[in-house]
Amino acid sequence: MNRLIIAIATVAFWSQSFNVSAQTETTNHDVAISIPEVALVGIAGADGEGTTINLTPEISNLEAGEKVDFGTASNSTLWLNYTSVIKSLGNGNEKAGGKTRKIRAELNENLPNGLELYLEVAPISSGSGQTGAAEQEKVLLKKGPSTVVDNIGSCYTEKGEGKGHRLTYTLGTKKNQFDKVMAQSFSVQVVYTITEN
């Protein structure tokens, strides 16, 4: 019995002698993060990007002496999509943001005499972030850029038909120049560019 008591006392003594508190140690490393600038613009339609649209005035009910209504030559099947990540101003304050962007549209060549082409960009229908504000009025397209969406920050509109801004094109005639309008077929390109303000 004495031996058992001595053994228990010895174990208890050794337990207390080696009861050292746990030590903690930390280490670390850096994570380098690089966010690239992004400025992408595209046109989406039922047939994907690069879709050709047709504008032809409706004349099936036209009667002799009536004016051809070029406003019936209209199309709203295309959508403007874009993705943008703007550059920081570099002052460490992410709320300060950076330079915004805009989208401009222009014709690659002049229209035939007497004709005009108008573009209406609808308000944004999808996406996230600082999506741009569409021009409130119809824009007369010409050879030379016109701003159609402004104040674009870091954002995306989502991709495809039904996403972003709906585009409506309408044909028109220049005031007092109906005599210059000729029956013909031709095509022009509408070029969209996203650029910094």
Side-chain angles (χ1 to χ4, degrees):
M1 177 88 168
N2 284 342
R3 284 187 180 177
L4 180 60
I5 293 172
I6 291 173
I8 292 173
T10 304
V11 169
F13 171 77
W14 282 101
S15 305
Q16 289 178 352
S17 299
F18 291 102
N19 187 10
V20 179
S21 62
Q23 293 183 359
T24 58
E25 183 178 330
T26 62
T27 186
N28 61 62
H29 67 88
D30 294 335
V31 177
I33 298 173
S34 178
I35 309 296
E37 278 189 83
V38 179
L40 300 171
V41 63
I43 303 296
D47 298 327
E49 193 161 342
T51 299
T52 298
I53 60 170
N54 296 306
L55 298 178
T56 303
E58 174 59 49
I59 59 167
S60 60
N61 294 322
L62 188 67
E63 294 185 16
E66 291 182 327
K67 178 182 175 182
V68 175
D69 184 1
F70 281 83
T72 61
S74 186
N75 183 290
S76 299
T77 61
L78 300 181
W79 294 78
L80 180 64
N81 302 159
Y82 50 89
T83 301
S84 171
V85 177
I86 59 173
K87 185 176 183 179
S88 168
L89 292 176
N91 60 6
N93 181 0
E94 68 273 358
K95 290 185 179 178
K99 283 191 172 182
T100 58
R101 293 193 167 104
K102 62 187 167 191
I103 295 176
R104 297 201 242 173
E106 64 183 306
L107 299 178
N108 70 329
E109 60 184 86
N110 291 320
L111 293 174
N113 288 335
L115 295 178
E116 295 178 323
L117 182 59
Y118 293 93
L119 170 65
E120 187 174 357
V121 180
I124 194 78
S125 67
S126 62
S128 183
Q130 186 181 333
T131 52
E135 288 296 313
Q136 297 299 308
E137 307 268 331
K138 284 185 179 179
V139 174
L140 174 62
L141 293 174
K142 59 189 184 304
K143 193 172 178 185
S146 297
T147 299
V148 294
V149 180
D150 204 359
N151 198 31
I152 299 169
S154 291
C155 67
Y156 63 93
T157 60
E158 297 185 38
K159 177 185 172 188
E161 185 180 16
K163 307 295 183 183
H165 299 270
R166 182 189 287 272
L167 304 175
T168 300
Y169 296 92
T170 307
L171 202 56
T173 55
K174 291 182 180 176
K175 188 173 182 179
N176 299 324
Q177 292 193 21
F178 194 85
D179 60 322
K180 295 189 171 34
V181 176
M182 301 293 161
Q184 59 184 306
S185 293
F186 61 92
S187 65
V188 294
Q189 285 185 344
V190 181
V191 179
Y192 289 86
T193 306
I194 186 168
T195 183
E196 278 192 350
N197 274 323

